[in-house]
Amino acid sequence: MSRPLSDQERRKQISIRGIVGAESVAELKRGFNRHLHFTLVKDRNVATPRDYYFALAHTVRDHLVGRWIRTQQYYYEKDPKLGLDMEELEEIEEDAGLGNGGLGRLAACFLDSMATLGLAAYGYGIRYEYGIFNQKIRDGWQVEEADDWLRHGNPWEKARPEYMLPVHFYGRVEHAATGAKWVDTQVVLALPYDTPVPGYLNNTVNTMRLWSARAPNDFNLRDFNVGDYIQAVLDRNLAENISRVLYPNDNFFEGKELRLKQEYFVVAATLQDIIRRFKASKFGSTDSVGIVFDSFPDQVAIQLNDTHPAMAIPELMRIFVDIEKLPWNKAWDITKRTFAYTNHTVLPEALERWPVDLVEKLLPRHLQIIYEINQRHLDHIAFLFPNDVDRLQRMSLIEEGGTKRINMAHLCIVGSHAVNGVAKIHSEIVKTQVFEDFAALEPEKFQNKTNGITPRRWLLLCNPGLAELIAEKIGEDYVRDLSQLTKLHGCVDDDLFIREVAKVKQENKVKFALYLEKEYKVKINPSSMFDVHVKRIHEYKRQLMNCLHIITMYNRIRKDPAKLFVPRTVIIGGKAAPGYHMAKMIIKLINAVAQVVNNDPIVGSKLKVIFLENYRVSLAEKVIPATDLSEQISTAGTEASGTGNMKFMLNGALTIGTMDGANVEMAEEAGEENLFIFGMRVEDVTELDREGYNAQKYYNQLPELKEAVDQIKSGFFSPEEPELFSDVVNMLFHHDRFKVFADYEAYVRCQEKVSELYLNSKAWTKMVIRNIAAAGKFSSDRTIKEYARDIWHVEPSNLKIPPPNEPRDTAEQSTPNGTAA
């Protein structure tokens, strides 16, 4: 007789059934045993935990395949107990680190929501062999190691060589009476790998298609008989390097040829795939000339996620004009109605500006098309604003002076029918500052679509205790309609519910404290406030301000050890781009401060500082449910939205933050009194820029700030190298675009209010409940519904596709028209 299931196992069982459906236990077991037997017969006699993981993954994938096929067919026409430690198997699974910072994670949330909403959507990207680097901390410094995430294979994907496509580079352009021809190119093949994306409890399984670069068989071999055959074979790596490694920069543009190759590679393969699917559908009708593309924008919507896929605009024009022989004006009309552009950053150093010379060498025909697009665009501006040369320069796609560059954001705006930011405040900055001229010209084109997160991963999966507690109070429908969380407002004064919410948080903290002690050999007090700041390391995110506060708390404890002090465990984590010197120095400083604080007997357990090594999605799933205080302290006007802030809010953390990004809307939803808001607003930052920011003034006026900075400067935290942090200090005084000193005093005072409230457990938990109740707006389901309605012009579907063992005609309704890519 088997033992009863634990709560954790029961929740996992519910989670698995939500994905694969309610097949019988016996059926799942048979599939699992078959895969495990195959592995053992093939390789060895004794099963390892990895064998169990792959057997389980293949079993789940097999159960998705029938739904996957059934879902694609519909678009085309219109509790198992396995006797395994699920958590152990989850730890074996590699993170697919195929994105930078929050942008890749946002795309994953969007894919989950599109499948759950029954949208006929595809996610396209590159199947990087090496993802975002693994971060090691050695002697306090970040060291990068290759992320060989595919070394054991990936059981979730399926190679689709039958859909392999050619992508062209280099060459030259010939012009003839029949039009332009791109010739003498170098060809690289794009091999697709498909991964199923299951919706929640609706049998829908969408597709994520990632492209891998392959050299054609004759790559560099045509002349091998007069050259070096071995070298020619080795040169195949040059082609396949395109999908070898992800560039690890976040919010910084690096104009490397390989990066441009990657950007064009993904859009060229994707557009061929989309057009193939369109031609094969009933909408791709033909006339005496060929395929009629008039209905293309009615059936296909392509969302450009930042400027990285901007080359899709000239590429689609090349296909329409050069290959399909459409007149320019018709091709341009179809192209504009197909594309929409999402801007994800306002930092000038992040905006892509490709050198004209590089584009001319790599993609000569595309440069000609961009020039033609720009000429017609500028002719239109000149007609509307005669003799306004400055405006023409500001709005041109080509930046003159020095190295001629293509402004990819301008290309995206001109070539799209809709442009959006990702939070209200960000969209306003996009309209009134960053792209002011374009918004004045076409105000109806500019929109806001506030980001969101999927509650399936960021509550049900990572925090099952809280998810179940909420379900007991308001039912389970909130998982698909997060706005129902507002019902929890009625529980704010329910003493039993308050105690249960606090209990779940404490259980999560104890679990995470054990993890920290095991990984970092630091004894953590689980009753201390878990003060968490996890995100990419960047000056604008102001991890330095947090560090100054840690030093201030340390100094206060040292000066008066007997005074009541609310114990804190400050947890900071995130990766710095390998070439970003200042970000790496910030990591070293945090670790140096932690070394002093954690080993000071006077401080003891009152204050601990942990730098989380190799922050990633799987680690976020551990730390976020255990967090008491979420740090969202970027300079107002610099963070486009943020999504970590939403994850913490949903999981019962309170927010200390500036009025920046989505923090503004979180304060609107929960009430500003239920967040710890401090510091300059956007207009204050603008005014300070106008006056001139003087860091020395704050240093002279604030004794605690002066003390902390002097300690860093004097080598208190680096006695063996007193000058170690001179670059950091010099930046703070002379080159700090993000004005850390200006917000320091307000930040420290706000942190005092945080400590005061934390002493009152009941009042703290009531504020937590108000925040959870207000988190419904921040579901990615809501975001995707807005994109679908306002930009893609498709309707989400409540369709529940029948599982493979039922007739196909039992579906409750028809699927929506249109495909979002």
Side-chain angles (χ1 to χ4, degrees), residues 773-786:
K777 173 180 179 176
F778 304 106
S779 168
S780 49
D781 296 349
R782 186 268 316 152
T783 310
I784 290 299
K785 284 177 184 173
E786 291 180 4

Side-chain angles (χ1 to χ4, degrees), residues 129-196:
E129 198 173 313
Y130 296 91
I132 183 73
F133 62 88
N134 282 324
Q135 179 196 57
K136 299 290 183 187
I137 301 298
R138 294 191 183 133
D139 191 29
W141 295 98
Q142 170 178 295
V143 177
E144 300 87 25
E145 291 186 355
D147 171 32
D148 191 7
W149 73 288
L150 290 170
R151 65 190 177 280
H152 299 294
N154 176 8
W156 301 105
E157 69 183 6
K158 177 157 178 44
R160 303 299 299 275
E162 68 272 27
Y163 292 120
M164 190 145 56
L165 294 165
V167 176
H168 297 261
F169 295 100
Y170 305 109
R172 59 191 176 82
V173 183
E174 289 181 349
H175 291 275
T178 54
K181 215 174 172 186
W182 187 15
V183 298
D184 297 337
T185 58
Q186 186 182 100
V187 176
V188 175
L189 299 177
L191 172 64
Y193 285 79
D194 287 355
T195 298

Side-chain angles (χ1 to χ4, degrees), residues 60-123:
V60 175
R61 190 189 69 180
D62 288 351
H63 279 271
L64 290 177
V65 163
R67 289 174 174 72
W68 197 1
I69 293 167
R70 180 66 61 89
T71 299
Q72 303 311 313
Q73 287 171 338
Y74 263 87
Y75 291 161
Y76 181 79
E77 295 172 9
K78 8 188 196 212
D79 285 319
K81 178 67 176 75
L82 299 174
L84 303 170
D85 184 338
M86 286 292 291
E87 289 200 30
E88 183 186 355
L89 299 192
E90 284 175 353
E91 291 299 317
I92 289 170
E93 183 165 70
E94 299 278 350
D95 282 61
L98 302 182
N100 261 306
L103 195 55
R105 183 54 244 169
L106 179 72
C109 285
F110 281 2
L111 287 177
D112 175 273
S113 287
M114 288 189 284
T116 296
L117 294 169
L119 287 169
Y122 295 80

Side-chain angles (χ1 to χ4, degrees), residues 283-300:
F283 303 105
S285 57
T286 59
D287 59 16
S288 57
V289 179
I291 292 287
V292 176
F293 284 94
D294 296 52
S295 66
F296 191 78
D298 300 323
Q299 300 307 319
V300 177

Side-chain angles (χ1 to χ4, degrees), residues 171 307 360 366 408 460 480 657 664:
T307 58
E360 186 172 37
H366 296 75
M408 304 307 281
L460 259 69
R480 286 183 64 118
V664 176

Side-chain angles (χ1 to χ4, degrees), residues 513-725:
L514 290 171
Y515 171 83
L516 290 177
E517 286 173 27
K518 179 183 163 207
E519 296 292 322
Y520 298 93
K521 309 297 184 276
V522 176
K523 185 75 176 166
I524 301 297
N525 174 9
S527 298
S528 65
M529 183 199 304
F530 282 20
D531 174 352
V532 178
H533 197 177
V534 285
K535 49 187 77 242
R536 286 299 287 263
I537 308 296
H538 199 293
E539 288 162 80
Y540 88 88
K541 293 177 185 284
R542 300 204 292 191
Q543 286 92 352
L544 271 175
M545 192 161 69
N546 191 343
C547 192
L548 289 170
H549 177 242
I550 292 167
I551 297 170
T552 300
M553 288 191 290
Y554 171 73
N555 291 333
R556 287 180 178 182
I557 295 168
R558 293 268 307 176
K559 280 174 188 155
D560 191 356
K563 186 177 179 182
L564 176 66
F565 184 87
V566 176
R568 285 201 193 209
T569 300
V570 183
I571 299 166
I572 303 176
K575 296 176 181 178
Y580 189 175
H581 169 70
M582 189 55 62
K584 288 184 144 183
M585 290 305 304
I586 291 168
I587 290 174
K588 175 62 177 173
L589 175 60
I590 292 164
N591 281 301
V593 171
Q595 183 69 19
V596 171
V597 170
N598 295 346
N599 292 290
D600 191 322
I602 295 174
V603 173
S605 64
K606 290 179 179 175
L607 181 61
K608 294 292 180 191
V609 182
I610 304 280
F611 187 88
L612 277 186
E613 185 180 73
N614 203 33
Y615 184 63
R616 58 202 184 278
V617 171
S618 57
L619 192 47
E621 290 169 1
K622 291 181 172 71
V623 67
I624 290 172
T627 297
D628 292 306
L629 185 68
S630 160
E631 300 265 356
Q632 309 296 334
I633 59 175
S634 52
T635 311
T638 60
E639 186 75 85
S641 167
T643 50
N645 44 7
M646 304 169 187
K647 292 162 192 168
F648 284 107
M649 183 188 199
L650 183 60
N651 280 274
L654 298 184
T655 301
I656 184 166
T658 51
M659 277 298 206
D660 196 27
N663 295 357
V664 176
E665 288 159 80
M666 286 163 55
E668 284 175 8
E669 295 296 304
E672 197 172 323
E673 69 280 6
N674 290 306
L675 281 77
F676 297 100
I677 297 294
F678 72 93
M680 296 179 288
R681 282 18 183 198
V682 169
E683 54 272 22
D684 301 320
V685 175
T686 304
E687 179 62 21
L688 192 53
D689 280 330
R690 194 184 60 76
E691 292 173 4
Y693 169 60
N694 180 3
Q696 188 73 39
K697 181 183 79 171
Y698 300 96
Y699 172 82
N700 294 338
Q701 289 175 352
L702 303 169
E704 287 189 309
L705 173 62
K706 183 178 187 301
E707 181 183 21
V709 172
D710 287 349
Q711 285 170 299
I712 297 170
K713 189 162 53 172
S714 68
F716 181 85
F717 299 105
S718 55
E720 294 179 6
E721 290 181 77
E723 301 289 311
L724 181 60
F725 300 113

